[in-house]
Amino acid sequence: QVQLLESGGGLVQAGGSLRLSCAASGRTFSSYAMGWFRQTPGKEREFVAAISWSGGSRYYADSVKGRFTISRGNTKNTVSLQMNSLKPEDTALYYCGHSQYDSGTLLQGGAAYDYWGQGTQVTVSS
């Protein structure tokens, strides 16, 4: 089993910034990518960003490119999402995911992930 613990959500005004963090523990794969997805009521979970095991490959949804940055901690078991220039449409429940793969564009699909965190709420007011 893998446990993922997210933190860093909250309420921020449009144009502001937030930093989300996720720590993985338990029986993780020897090398695994991690990603962030988000979901709003009535909609499917959508891809936000992902990072390969090495940290050398990063993937972003078009809607967040240039505003969000995903990074991996030195110990590899943590991932952060720096969110700048936030917009009201970024409001969602953000989930961290652990992938059974270590890299690749398939990380943009939810099926590439085998474990999810509980989610952290991000609310951007206009």
Side-chain angles (χ1 to χ4, degrees):
Q1 280 280 34
V2 175
Q3 294 79 43
L4 299 171
L5 183 62
E6 301 115 331
S7 61
L11 173 64
V12 65
Q13 287 189 329
S17 299
L18 280 175
R19 185 177 181 87
L20 305 184
S21 295
C22 174
S25 61
R27 300 182 67 176
T28 59
F29 283 95
S30 58
S31 60
Y32 55 94
M34 295 182 76
W36 289 95
F37 283 67
R38 65 188 182 188
Q39 189 171 23
T40 54
K43 292 188 177 181
E44 293 198 357
R45 194 173 298 188
E46 67 170 2
F47 170 73
V48 175
I51 188 166
S52 63
W53 166 250
S54 69
S57 296
R58 306 180 190 198
Y59 313 88
Y60 295 96
D62 289 342
S63 59
V64 307
K65 277 180 184 175
R67 300 188 299 122
F68 290 12
T69 302
I70 190 169
S71 59
R72 198 137 191 176
N74 290 334
T75 59
K76 303 287 190 189
N77 68 330
T78 59
V79 64
S80 296
L81 185 68
Q82 178 66 42
M83 306 186 295
N84 298 328
S85 302
L86 282 161
K87 304 175 181 179
E89 50 264 43
D90 294 317
T91 295
L93 189 60
Y94 283 70
Y95 294 93
C96 171
H98 167 285
S99 176
Q100 62 266 47
Y101 305 103
D102 62 4
S103 64
T105 56
L106 50 76
L107 295 173
Q108 297 178 43
Y113 299 83
D114 51 359
Y115 293 98
W116 298 94
Q118 299 276 19
T120 184
Q121 179 67 38
V122 171
T123 302
V124 184
S125 63
S126 57

